[in-house]
Amino acid sequence: MYIIEHIMIELKVLKRDTKESNEYLRSQGVIPAVMYGADFESTPIKVDNGEFIKVYREAGTSNVINTTGDIKGEMIIIQDMHVHVVSGDILNIDFKVVNKGEKTEVTIPIELIGESLAVKNNIGLLNFSHEEVVIETIPSKIPDHIDVDISILNDLGDSIKLSDIKLPDGVNIIDDVDTTVVSIIAPYEEKDRKSTRLNSSHTDISRMPSSA
């Protein structure tokens, strides 16, 4: 199942003087960014940090944003966003300009619905391994998110792949359709996964710079 909820979201964008350092802009509560597209020349811009956070909470990476300010009337999506690993501050943003009626690639979140009997009856654990999917479609058909019904997962080893997801006409999956989205695994497999994650986390933390 797919959900299409197109809402009017606007973001004020201002052209950016590249002579101003990114550090200075961020100190002023502004995020350096860039807009680009197939028929749109790459343009350095800046957006207000507080306003962008509000827009991001509404739009995510799947909803089209309408621009105001110095560059009016363009449709953009959040293509990429770089965040500081320690502070969580947004460092810079890439906005992709999309054209009405032309296909574009966009990342859509996957949401699980229903109840798995395998989990309910303690047969196994739910492993949600692929939480997003890259699709290609025109802006008017971009789903807000995609629902995946896990009520068909009844036994150990049951799984749902991207190829099992039903999408509307004109929407194509770019990711490998054989990718497993969610599956039922044995409890000991989950313990092994947690152990691996813990060891990896320990290594990463030891390499992180101090906040001082």
Side-chain angles (χ1 to χ4, degrees):
M1 182 179 180
Y2 52 90
I3 305 295
I4 301 178
E5 296 179 355
H6 292 294
I7 54 179
M8 179 65 71
I9 303 173
E10 293 185 341
L11 177 66
K12 183 178 180 179
V13 301
L14 301 176
K15 291 183 178 180
R16 170 165 55 92
D17 184 352
T18 55
K19 293 180 181 179
E20 294 180 318
S21 71
N22 290 346
E23 291 76 11
Y24 170 76
L25 290 173
R26 287 191 285 265
S27 72
Q28 301 301 304
V30 175
I31 306 172
V34 63
M35 285 174 57
Y36 60 88
D39 301 315
F40 189 92
E41 184 177 355
S42 180
T43 304
I45 61 169
K46 55 187 178 182
V47 296
D48 179 79
N49 184 78
E51 182 183 0
F52 173 75
I53 290 174
K54 291 179 182 178
V55 167
Y56 179 66
R57 286 172 179 165
E58 286 188 80
T61 59
S62 59
N63 276 296
V64 173
I65 302 165
N66 297 281
T67 63
T68 64
D70 290 344
I71 305 176
K72 298 182 177 67
E74 296 291 346
M75 296 189 300
I76 58 175
I77 56 175
I78 300 168
Q79 183 72 9
D80 199 5
M81 184 169 64
H82 301 278
V83 179
H84 194 283
V85 294
V86 177
S87 67
D89 293 339
I90 302 171
L91 301 178
N92 51 68
I93 312 161
D94 291 354
F95 292 105
K96 182 179 179 180
V97 179
V98 297
N99 299 320
K100 186 177 182 180
E102 290 187 8
K103 289 186 176 182
T104 188
E105 291 186 12
V106 61
T107 301
I108 304 298
I110 295 174
E111 296 186 7
L112 304 183
I113 62 172
E115 183 179 24
S116 165
L117 287 179
V119 175
K120 182 179 180 180
N121 296 329
N122 296 317
I123 296 173
L125 300 175
L126 194 70
N127 179 36
F128 188 11
S129 56
H130 203 75
E131 300 181 5
E132 297 178 328
V133 58
V134 179
I135 64 168
E136 182 184 59
T137 188
I138 61 175
S140 62
K141 288 189 175 182
I142 297 176
D144 181 66
H145 67 273
I146 297 172
D147 286 334
V148 171
D149 189 354
I150 61 172
S151 62
I152 65 171
L153 303 178
N154 299 320
D155 297 306
L156 198 64
D158 283 356
S159 65
I160 299 173
K161 297 183 177 181
L162 288 178
S163 57
D164 299 318
I165 297 176
K166 304 301 180 184
L167 295 174
D169 292 338
V171 178
N172 300 313
I173 292 178
I174 300 300
D175 287 340
D176 183 356
V177 294
D178 289 328
T179 300
T180 298
V181 176
V182 59
S183 59
I184 301 299
I185 62 174
Y188 72 85
E189 291 184 47
E190 178 63 15
K191 289 180 181 179
D192 290 343
R193 291 170 189 270
K194 287 182 178 179
S195 176
T196 301
R197 286 197 295 265
L198 181 60
N199 291 334
S200 297
S201 297
H202 177 74
T203 301
D204 291 340
I205 290 172
S206 67
R207 294 179 180 179
M208 285 175 58
S210 66
S211 58

